[in-house]
Structure formats: structure tokens, C-alpha cells
Amino acid sequence: MRETILVLDFGSQYTQLIARRTRELRVHSEIKPFSTPLDRIKQAKPKAIILSGGPASVWDEGSPKLAPEAFGLGIPILGICYGMQITVHQLGGKIERSQRREFGPANLRVIDKSDLLSGIPDDEVWMSHSDRVLELPPGFELIAESENSPNAAVRCLNLGIYCTQFHPEVIHTKYGKEILSNFIFKIAKCKGSWTPKSFVETKIKDIKEKVGESRVICGLSGGVDSAVAAVIISRAILDRLHCIFVDTGLLRLNEAKEVVESFRNMGLNLIHIDARDRFLRNLEGVSDPERKRKIIGREFIGVFEEKSSKINGAEFLAQGTLYPDVIESVSVKGPSATIKSHHNVGGLPEKMNLKLIEPLRELFKDEVREVGSELGVPIEILNRHPFPGPGLAIRIIGEIDEKTVSTLQHADHIFIEEIRQAGLYDDIWQAFCVFLPCRTVGVMGDERTYENVIALRAVTSLDGMTASWARIPYELLEITSVRIINEVAGVNRVVYDVSTKPPSTIEWE
Ligand code: XMP
């Protein structure tokens, strides 16, 4: 049976980080709310439980608590920050209420190196708390201290409970990973067999069982999630997977051709639908961004349904749903939840009467890349910048026609080419051009010109929720501007967008 670590979430901003750290150590983890009932905890048969931090004080009315019996299950527990305080509080120790916050680095002095802190030198750890532990519950002992938190790390050998006031999951705790590793391997006795390879093997088996002899339909966008989902399903059921790729005409330059070629090279059974005219026709005269999104979503579903209804024996629709979309958690939902909320094909499954198959729903984005790499998905697909469902339609401000799409595609191609040339593509979250519907005066040779403006947008971000404009070199801006104005007909001015998100958004519409 697969080893799992249950991360019980008390609302910390770091909860997902804890889950990711255990996975980096090759042990699968699942995040569940702190209020998960005891029988569900037992059912999950976790090798260990980690209690996250959280914003509450144990003294708050209705403060979040763990089912008390969970402390006596004999399953090793690691309580972090609030997870430590609630453990101490529930087991009869004393927590001192404090308004003063200890935030930032602290020096840890290790007292006992026999298990959790084995091999850990005295070094910096990351603190972020107000309340602190004053008295330990019976059976607990001190294993490390810091100046402001005399009880920085404690344990109860009888119950197999370990607690840290600091956060081992954040990188500022220099030996945090080693501490988690001690907990997972030395204390919880995990083996660490959850690798991309083992994930792929198990998934292929699951998909075979689930799908049986029937067929699966998968919409390919060219993005990483749908690509990896499709490849893993095709490994299980071969050409009973039918991939549908809709060319809306609103993709990047040459992208449709490249997507079709690379997926066919990977052996996928691919239906390529050229719907460029249909999309352009329906978007004619439309300038409002939300109407554009709605029209594109509606047409996409239309095209997709028409084609898929002709595939006999299809019972399943594949989707590239990721873990942050489905975590049952008390903290804020992950970034992709927000990105998906305005995804234009969200209505697909309800309308189509197909069962869903979501092979990536246990994975974080970087894990999808690892799995994709294990499956031999080309690196250009795995590392491609995110691209919005409505495509270039929301990067052409105002009305759209074939000519503006083509102008934008060419400008965009130059910008991306120059970014790649400068070796900066992977450092940037997203880079693209925007077509502005205004004309400005210029001079070329002896001639006065009156032509369009292209805006360059390049941002750095961790998750697309917030973003800064990328500090790309002036030389890169210069060569991009010169090339766009010289090579793209109808453009005589290039500007660089220096707005952060918030208050701006990444896309202009
Ligand atoms: P914003 O512009 O909201 O973008 O800062 C955040 C991220 O979401 C992408 N985005 C979309 N993706 N359909 C999508 O599938 C959309 O309508 C859409 N609008 C924005 C955007 O490219 C960025 O990565």
C-alpha cells in the first residue's frame, strides 16, 4: 500500500508547502482540514500526521482543535507552530497568550540529537507566532530552545508526538528539510518510494481498470496539464484515447502546427479541428473582454461537442485538474483555483454527460512537470509559459480581425524569440505582446507614419496571483523594439508595461 502523510490544515499559509516538502522526500502527502473526523483519519492509514500552523490562538473562542483521540492512535505526529500549541494545550500543558509577535529568524540551540534533530547543528530557524509554550504537558520533554522560545522543540516519546515552534517547511529554516526528513524516515519509518516513475506505473494501472474497454476524449490546449494527462492516459489505453485539438486561430504564431506535430510524434490519436473562421466570424465587431470570453467559451464547447459526439463508445472526458484545485482546506484556495475560475471551457463536463477522468488531481504543478518528463513529453511543452483559454483575443484590445491577429502573432513571436535568445525564458512567468487599438505618429525614412502600438508584457510570479514586471535588460527591450518596428507591418511604436499585479492584472483584458 502507498505510504501517505496526512497534513492537517489549521489555516497556515505554509500548509501546501508542508505537503510539497514531504513529496520532495518522495513520500505522498494529502492535505485535509483539521476537523477531519477520527474515522476518516484512521481510514487514510497515514504513516504520520503533520499539524500545520495557523492564525488562531488556542485561547480564541472556538479555536480549531484536533479530534482528541487522534493523539492516542500511535501514529507519529509532528505539530508545527499552532500545531504545537494546540497539541500542548489539548494534552494539558500551558500556552502563554501574547500580543507580541516573534517573526523572522531565530537561533536554535539543539539539546537532544537522538531523533527529530539528529545531525542538526545549532543554526537559524524561522519563527512566526505570538503565543508560546509556557509549560509542557505530562510526558513531554525539551529537545531544543531559542532565546525567545524556550520550548522551541519538544517531544513525547510515549505518544510519538514531536512539536516545533518554528517552521521547518520554509527555506529560511536552514536545516528544515533535514528535520522533516528525520521525522518522516527515522520516526515515521517511511520508505520514500513515491517517485514520478511509481506514480506513472500506478496511474496507468488505475486508468486501465477504470476505463475498461471504453473510450476517453481529451481536449488538448498545448499547455502542460492537458498534455501530460493525455500522454499518461494514452499509455494506459493507447488509441482508445481520442485527443481533440481545436485551432481557434487565436493561438501564438505556428503553435497549432507545432502542437499537432509534437503530439502526433508522441503517438497520440489526435483530431485536429480547424475552426479559425468560426471563431473570427463570431467575434466580429465584439470589443468587450467578457463578451469575447463568453463567445469563445460557447464556440469552443460547440465545436468540441460536435466532434466528440461522433466518437462511438466514449464514456469519459479527461481533464488536467491539479491538486490545488481540489484540496479540501481551511486556508485560502491555491492559485490555480482562481486561474480556473475564468477558464472558458469550465462548462464542458456538465454539458456532455461523460464521466470525468483526472489523472493529475493529486499533483502540484511542478510534479506534473516531473511526471511529464518521466513520460518523455518534450521540454518545450513542459516549460511553456501559461496561455489563457481565450488566447490572443484578450491581448488585442477592442475588436479583432485576421489582420490584427496576424500582426500580434508576429510581434509576439519576435519578443519570445529574443527572450529565449537572452536565456531568460525560464526566469519569466509569462511574456507576451498586446495589440493596442490606437495609432500614433512616427517617422520612417522621410515619411511620416501613422500606425499601431504594441505593448510588451513580461512578468515574474510564483503562481499568477500576484506578479511583478520583469526587470529585463534594456538591450533586450531595444532589440525587440527595433525588430518589431522593422519586421512587423503596421507597427511604429513599442512600449513596455511596468505595472504590478495587483492593482493591474497580467493580461490586459
Ligand atoms: P490575470 O490577467 O487575471 O491572469 O492577472 C492570471 C493568469 O490567468 C491567465 N488568464 C486566463 N486563463 N482563461 C484562462 O484560461 C482566461 O480567461 C484567462 N484570463 C487570464 C493569465 O494568462 C495568467 O496566467
PDB file of all heavy atoms in Angstrom, residues 213-217 239-242 244 269 271 305-316 354:
ATOM      1  N   GLU A 213     -12.939  -1.279 -21.416  1.00  0.00           N
ATOM      2  CA  GLU A 213     -12.848  -1.336 -22.867  1.00  0.00           C
ATOM      3  C   GLU A 213     -13.394  -0.068 -23.529  1.00  0.00           C
ATOM      4  O   GLU A 213     -13.502   0.011 -24.744  1.00  0.00           O
ATOM      5  CB  GLU A 213     -13.632  -2.552 -23.394  1.00  0.00           C
ATOM      6  CG  GLU A 213     -12.954  -3.888 -23.151  1.00  0.00           C
ATOM      7  CD  GLU A 213     -11.506  -3.893 -23.623  1.00  0.00           C
ATOM      8  OE1 GLU A 213     -11.268  -3.581 -24.806  1.00  0.00           O
ATOM      9  OE2 GLU A 213     -10.605  -4.169 -22.790  1.00  0.00           O
ATOM     10  N   SER A 214     -13.821   0.917 -22.726  1.00  0.00           N
ATOM     11  CA  SER A 214     -14.466   2.073 -23.365  1.00  0.00           C
ATOM     12  C   SER A 214     -13.422   3.106 -23.828  1.00  0.00           C
ATOM     13  O   SER A 214     -12.234   2.836 -23.827  1.00  0.00           O
ATOM     14  CB  SER A 214     -15.537   2.640 -22.446  1.00  0.00           C
ATOM     15  OG  SER A 214     -14.993   3.606 -21.648  1.00  0.00           O
ATOM     16  N   ARG A 215     -13.916   4.263 -24.236  1.00  0.00           N
ATOM     17  CA  ARG A 215     -13.038   5.265 -24.847  1.00  0.00           C
ATOM     18  C   ARG A 215     -13.027   6.558 -24.041  1.00  0.00           C
ATOM     19  O   ARG A 215     -13.990   6.859 -23.331  1.00  0.00           O
ATOM     20  CB  ARG A 215     -13.507   5.551 -26.279  1.00  0.00           C
ATOM     21  CG  ARG A 215     -13.245   4.393 -27.181  1.00  0.00           C
ATOM     22  CD  ARG A 215     -13.847   4.504 -28.556  1.00  0.00           C
ATOM     23  NE  ARG A 215     -13.648   3.233 -29.225  1.00  0.00           N
ATOM     24  CZ  ARG A 215     -12.559   2.925 -29.934  1.00  0.00           C
ATOM     25  NH1 ARG A 215     -11.630   3.825 -30.131  1.00  0.00           N
ATOM     26  NH2 ARG A 215     -12.421   1.728 -30.469  1.00  0.00           N
ATOM     27  N   VAL A 216     -11.952   7.323 -24.203  1.00  0.00           N
ATOM     28  CA  VAL A 216     -11.799   8.581 -23.462  1.00  0.00           C
ATOM     29  C   VAL A 216     -11.564   9.715 -24.459  1.00  0.00           C
ATOM     30  O   VAL A 216     -10.819   9.548 -25.433  1.00  0.00           O
ATOM     31  CB  VAL A 216     -10.597   8.511 -22.490  1.00  0.00           C
ATOM     32  CG1 VAL A 216     -10.406   9.824 -21.759  1.00  0.00           C
ATOM     33  CG2 VAL A 216     -10.751   7.367 -21.500  1.00  0.00           C
ATOM     34  N   ILE A 217     -12.198  10.863 -24.173  1.00  0.00           N
ATOM     35  CA  ILE A 217     -11.960  12.042 -25.007  1.00  0.00           C
ATOM     36  C   ILE A 217     -11.155  13.052 -24.195  1.00  0.00           C
ATOM     37  O   ILE A 217     -11.410  13.235 -23.002  1.00  0.00           O
ATOM     38  CB  ILE A 217     -13.301  12.683 -25.405  1.00  0.00           C
ATOM     39  CG1 ILE A 217     -14.089  11.698 -26.260  1.00  0.00           C
ATOM     40  CG2 ILE A 217     -13.097  13.990 -26.156  1.00  0.00           C
ATOM     41  CD1 ILE A 217     -15.495  12.128 -26.527  1.00  0.00           C
ATOM     42  N   ASP A 239      -4.886   3.811 -28.457  1.00  0.00           N
ATOM     43  CA  ASP A 239      -5.678   4.689 -29.333  1.00  0.00           C
ATOM     44  C   ASP A 239      -7.163   4.718 -28.983  1.00  0.00           C
ATOM     45  O   ASP A 239      -7.961   5.261 -29.729  1.00  0.00           O
ATOM     46  CB  ASP A 239      -5.453   4.343 -30.807  1.00  0.00           C
ATOM     47  CG  ASP A 239      -5.809   2.910 -31.102  1.00  0.00           C
ATOM     48  OD1 ASP A 239      -6.234   2.208 -30.159  1.00  0.00           O
ATOM     49  OD2 ASP A 239      -5.666   2.500 -32.269  1.00  0.00           O
ATOM     50  N   ARG A 240      -7.513   4.159 -27.834  1.00  0.00           N
ATOM     51  CA  ARG A 240      -8.882   4.402 -27.365  1.00  0.00           C
ATOM     52  C   ARG A 240      -8.976   5.754 -26.661  1.00  0.00           C
ATOM     53  O   ARG A 240     -10.027   6.149 -26.182  1.00  0.00           O
ATOM     54  CB  ARG A 240      -9.350   3.259 -26.466  1.00  0.00           C
ATOM     55  CG  ARG A 240      -9.760   2.040 -27.314  1.00  0.00           C
ATOM     56  CD  ARG A 240     -10.283   0.904 -26.479  1.00  0.00           C
ATOM     57  NE  ARG A 240      -9.258   0.307 -25.655  1.00  0.00           N
ATOM     58  CZ  ARG A 240      -9.255   0.288 -24.321  1.00  0.00           C
ATOM     59  NH1 ARG A 240     -10.250   0.824 -23.656  1.00  0.00           N
ATOM     60  NH2 ARG A 240      -8.274  -0.279 -23.659  1.00  0.00           N
ATOM     61  N   LEU A 241      -7.869   6.475 -26.624  1.00  0.00           N
ATOM     62  CA  LEU A 241      -7.907   7.883 -26.204  1.00  0.00           C
ATOM     63  C   LEU A 241      -8.009   8.734 -27.469  1.00  0.00           C
ATOM     64  O   LEU A 241      -7.198   8.599 -28.392  1.00  0.00           O
ATOM     65  CB  LEU A 241      -6.621   8.266 -25.459  1.00  0.00           C
ATOM     66  CG  LEU A 241      -6.493   9.771 -25.197  1.00  0.00           C
ATOM     67  CD1 LEU A 241      -7.489  10.239 -24.144  1.00  0.00           C
ATOM     68  CD2 LEU A 241      -5.077  10.137 -24.756  1.00  0.00           C
ATOM     69  N   HIS A 242      -9.019   9.596 -27.510  1.00  0.00           N
ATOM     70  CA  HIS A 242      -9.207  10.477 -28.669  1.00  0.00           C
ATOM     71  C   HIS A 242      -8.935  11.906 -28.220  1.00  0.00           C
ATOM     72  O   HIS A 242      -9.713  12.471 -27.450  1.00  0.00           O
ATOM     73  CB  HIS A 242     -10.632  10.349 -29.210  1.00  0.00           C
ATOM     74  CG  HIS A 242     -10.958   8.950 -29.636  1.00  0.00           C
ATOM     75  ND1 HIS A 242     -10.956   8.558 -30.954  1.00  0.00           N
ATOM     76  CD2 HIS A 242     -11.261   7.849 -28.916  1.00  0.00           C
ATOM     77  CE1 HIS A 242     -11.250   7.268 -31.020  1.00  0.00           C
ATOM     78  NE2 HIS A 242     -11.443   6.817 -29.797  1.00  0.00           N
ATOM     79  N   ILE A 244      -8.706  15.836 -28.850  1.00  0.00           N
ATOM     80  CA  ILE A 244      -9.270  16.832 -29.770  1.00  0.00           C
ATOM     81  C   ILE A 244      -8.524  18.140 -29.576  1.00  0.00           C
ATOM     82  O   ILE A 244      -8.432  18.661 -28.455  1.00  0.00           O
ATOM     83  CB  ILE A 244     -10.776  17.026 -29.496  1.00  0.00           C
ATOM     84  CG1 ILE A 244     -11.510  15.694 -29.722  1.00  0.00           C
ATOM     85  CG2 ILE A 244     -11.346  18.129 -30.380  1.00  0.00           C
ATOM     86  CD1 ILE A 244     -13.002  15.775 -29.561  1.00  0.00           C
ATOM     87  N   ASN A 269      -3.452   9.814 -30.606  1.00  0.00           N
ATOM     88  CA  ASN A 269      -4.513   9.747 -31.587  1.00  0.00           C
ATOM     89  C   ASN A 269      -5.222  11.108 -31.575  1.00  0.00           C
ATOM     90  O   ASN A 269      -6.017  11.391 -30.694  1.00  0.00           O
ATOM     91  CB  ASN A 269      -5.415   8.603 -31.097  1.00  0.00           C
ATOM     92  CG  ASN A 269      -6.633   8.412 -31.923  1.00  0.00           C
ATOM     93  OD1 ASN A 269      -6.756   8.998 -32.999  1.00  0.00           O
ATOM     94  ND2 ASN A 269      -7.539   7.587 -31.436  1.00  0.00           N
ATOM     95  N   ILE A 271      -7.263  14.459 -33.159  1.00  0.00           N
ATOM     96  CA  ILE A 271      -8.172  15.044 -34.154  1.00  0.00           C
ATOM     97  C   ILE A 271      -7.926  16.557 -34.148  1.00  0.00           C
ATOM     98  O   ILE A 271      -8.044  17.202 -33.097  1.00  0.00           O
ATOM     99  CB  ILE A 271      -9.646  14.770 -33.773  1.00  0.00           C
ATOM    100  CG1 ILE A 271      -9.862  13.259 -33.581  1.00  0.00           C
ATOM    101  CG2 ILE A 271     -10.592  15.340 -34.815  1.00  0.00           C
ATOM    102  CD1 ILE A 271     -11.143  12.924 -32.843  1.00  0.00           C
ATOM    103  N   GLU A 305     -18.164  19.562 -28.767  1.00  0.00           N
ATOM    104  CA  GLU A 305     -19.300  18.624 -28.668  1.00  0.00           C
ATOM    105  C   GLU A 305     -19.638  17.987 -30.009  1.00  0.00           C
ATOM    106  O   GLU A 305     -19.886  16.792 -30.087  1.00  0.00           O
ATOM    107  CB  GLU A 305     -20.526  19.372 -28.168  1.00  0.00           C
ATOM    108  CG  GLU A 305     -20.671  19.297 -26.682  1.00  0.00           C
ATOM    109  CD  GLU A 305     -21.955  19.985 -26.227  1.00  0.00           C
ATOM    110  OE1 GLU A 305     -22.272  21.068 -26.772  1.00  0.00           O
ATOM    111  OE2 GLU A 305     -22.633  19.426 -25.379  1.00  0.00           O
ATOM    112  N   GLU A 306     -19.619  18.819 -31.044  1.00  0.00           N
ATOM    113  CA  GLU A 306     -19.954  18.296 -32.374  1.00  0.00           C
ATOM    114  C   GLU A 306     -19.027  17.144 -32.723  1.00  0.00           C
ATOM    115  O   GLU A 306     -19.443  16.118 -33.234  1.00  0.00           O
ATOM    116  CB  GLU A 306     -19.813  19.391 -33.441  1.00  0.00           C
ATOM    117  CG  GLU A 306     -20.999  20.343 -33.474  1.00  0.00           C
ATOM    118  CD  GLU A 306     -20.642  21.666 -34.162  1.00  0.00           C
ATOM    119  OE1 GLU A 306     -19.740  21.665 -35.040  1.00  0.00           O
ATOM    120  OE2 GLU A 306     -21.245  22.695 -33.806  1.00  0.00           O
ATOM    121  N   LYS A 307     -17.761  17.344 -32.439  1.00  0.00           N
ATOM    122  CA  LYS A 307     -16.789  16.324 -32.818  1.00  0.00           C
ATOM    123  C   LYS A 307     -16.880  15.105 -31.903  1.00  0.00           C
ATOM    124  O   LYS A 307     -16.903  13.960 -32.359  1.00  0.00           O
ATOM    125  CB  LYS A 307     -15.372  16.926 -32.726  1.00  0.00           C
ATOM    126  CG  LYS A 307     -14.366  16.203 -33.526  1.00  0.00           C
ATOM    127  CD  LYS A 307     -14.631  16.418 -34.994  1.00  0.00           C
ATOM    128  CE  LYS A 307     -13.855  15.519 -35.879  1.00  0.00           C
ATOM    129  NZ  LYS A 307     -14.194  15.769 -37.296  1.00  0.00           N
ATOM    130  N   SER A 308     -16.948  15.360 -30.592  1.00  0.00           N
ATOM    131  CA  SER A 308     -16.870  14.228 -29.670  1.00  0.00           C
ATOM    132  C   SER A 308     -18.121  13.364 -29.717  1.00  0.00           C
ATOM    133  O   SER A 308     -18.057  12.171 -29.439  1.00  0.00           O
ATOM    134  CB  SER A 308     -16.584  14.700 -28.254  1.00  0.00           C
ATOM    135  OG  SER A 308     -17.549  15.626 -27.866  1.00  0.00           O
ATOM    136  N   SER A 309     -19.263  13.954 -30.103  1.00  0.00           N
ATOM    137  CA  SER A 309     -20.491  13.143 -30.143  1.00  0.00           C
ATOM    138  C   SER A 309     -20.389  12.079 -31.240  1.00  0.00           C
ATOM    139  O   SER A 309     -21.140  11.121 -31.258  1.00  0.00           O
ATOM    140  CB  SER A 309     -21.717  14.032 -30.362  1.00  0.00           C
ATOM    141  OG  SER A 309     -21.565  14.702 -31.589  1.00  0.00           O
ATOM    142  N   LYS A 310     -19.444  12.275 -32.157  1.00  0.00           N
ATOM    143  CA  LYS A 310     -19.286  11.281 -33.238  1.00  0.00           C
ATOM    144  C   LYS A 310     -18.345  10.124 -32.848  1.00  0.00           C
ATOM    145  O   LYS A 310     -18.136   9.207 -33.621  1.00  0.00           O
ATOM    146  CB  LYS A 310     -18.746  11.970 -34.489  1.00  0.00           C
ATOM    147  CG  LYS A 310     -19.695  13.039 -35.009  1.00  0.00           C
ATOM    148  CD  LYS A 310     -19.431  13.367 -36.474  1.00  0.00           C
ATOM    149  CE  LYS A 310     -20.359  14.462 -36.953  1.00  0.00           C
ATOM    150  NZ  LYS A 310     -19.771  15.810 -36.761  1.00  0.00           N
ATOM    151  N   ILE A 311     -17.749  10.242 -31.658  1.00  0.00           N
ATOM    152  CA  ILE A 311     -16.830   9.171 -31.250  1.00  0.00           C
ATOM    153  C   ILE A 311     -17.636   8.106 -30.497  1.00  0.00           C
ATOM    154  O   ILE A 311     -18.061   8.319 -29.363  1.00  0.00           O
ATOM    155  CB  ILE A 311     -15.699   9.733 -30.377  1.00  0.00           C
ATOM    156  CG1 ILE A 311     -14.908  10.772 -31.189  1.00  0.00           C
ATOM    157  CG2 ILE A 311     -14.779   8.621 -29.870  1.00  0.00           C
ATOM    158  CD1 ILE A 311     -13.928  11.566 -30.385  1.00  0.00           C
ATOM    159  N   ASN A 312     -17.825   6.989 -31.147  1.00  0.00           N
ATOM    160  CA  ASN A 312     -18.652   5.937 -30.542  1.00  0.00           C
ATOM    161  C   ASN A 312     -17.958   5.293 -29.356  1.00  0.00           C
ATOM    162  O   ASN A 312     -16.768   5.038 -29.401  1.00  0.00           O
ATOM    163  CB  ASN A 312     -18.956   4.843 -31.579  1.00  0.00           C
ATOM    164  CG  ASN A 312     -19.953   5.360 -32.600  1.00  0.00           C
ATOM    165  OD1 ASN A 312     -20.776   6.227 -32.281  1.00  0.00           O
ATOM    166  ND2 ASN A 312     -19.860   4.848 -33.814  1.00  0.00           N
ATOM    167  N   GLY A 313     -18.758   5.054 -28.327  1.00  0.00           N
ATOM    168  CA  GLY A 313     -18.234   4.303 -27.174  1.00  0.00           C
ATOM    169  C   GLY A 313     -17.443   5.150 -26.195  1.00  0.00           C
ATOM    170  O   GLY A 313     -16.823   4.608 -25.290  1.00  0.00           O
ATOM    171  N   ALA A 314     -17.457   6.490 -26.369  1.00  0.00           N
ATOM    172  CA  ALA A 314     -16.718   7.333 -25.417  1.00  0.00           C
ATOM    173  C   ALA A 314     -17.555   7.505 -24.154  1.00  0.00           C
ATOM    174  O   ALA A 314     -18.708   7.902 -24.213  1.00  0.00           O
ATOM    175  CB  ALA A 314     -16.415   8.680 -26.040  1.00  0.00           C
ATOM    176  N   GLU A 315     -16.955   7.193 -23.030  1.00  0.00           N
ATOM    177  CA  GLU A 315     -17.668   7.302 -21.752  1.00  0.00           C
ATOM    178  C   GLU A 315     -17.013   8.314 -20.831  1.00  0.00           C
ATOM    179  O   GLU A 315     -17.583   8.722 -19.840  1.00  0.00           O
ATOM    180  CB  GLU A 315     -17.626   5.956 -21.027  1.00  0.00           C
ATOM    181  CG  GLU A 315     -18.791   5.042 -21.300  1.00  0.00           C
ATOM    182  CD  GLU A 315     -18.650   3.793 -20.445  1.00  0.00           C
ATOM    183  OE1 GLU A 315     -18.749   3.891 -19.217  1.00  0.00           O
ATOM    184  OE2 GLU A 315     -18.401   2.729 -21.045  1.00  0.00           O
ATOM    185  N   PHE A 316     -15.765   8.679 -21.162  1.00  0.00           N
ATOM    186  CA  PHE A 316     -15.010   9.530 -20.232  1.00  0.00           C
ATOM    187  C   PHE A 316     -14.477  10.784 -20.902  1.00  0.00           C
ATOM    188  O   PHE A 316     -14.136  10.770 -22.087  1.00  0.00           O
ATOM    189  CB  PHE A 316     -13.804   8.767 -19.673  1.00  0.00           C
ATOM    190  CG  PHE A 316     -14.171   7.595 -18.825  1.00  0.00           C
ATOM    191  CD1 PHE A 316     -14.332   6.341 -19.401  1.00  0.00           C
ATOM    192  CD2 PHE A 316     -14.347   7.750 -17.465  1.00  0.00           C
ATOM    193  CE1 PHE A 316     -14.664   5.251 -18.611  1.00  0.00           C
ATOM    194  CE2 PHE A 316     -14.683   6.665 -16.670  1.00  0.00           C
ATOM    195  CZ  PHE A 316     -14.845   5.410 -17.244  1.00  0.00           C
ATOM    196  N   LEU A 354     -20.557  12.907 -19.706  1.00  0.00           N
ATOM    197  CA  LEU A 354     -19.432  11.966 -19.695  1.00  0.00           C
ATOM    198  C   LEU A 354     -18.879  11.919 -18.275  1.00  0.00           C
ATOM    199  O   LEU A 354     -18.952  12.908 -17.542  1.00  0.00           O
ATOM    200  CB  LEU A 354     -18.322  12.448 -20.632  1.00  0.00           C
ATOM    201  CG  LEU A 354     -18.626  12.444 -22.123  1.00  0.00           C
ATOM    202  CD1 LEU A 354     -17.525  13.160 -22.885  1.00  0.00           C
ATOM    203  CD2 LEU A 354     -18.794  11.025 -22.643  1.00  0.00           C
TER     204      LEU A 354
END
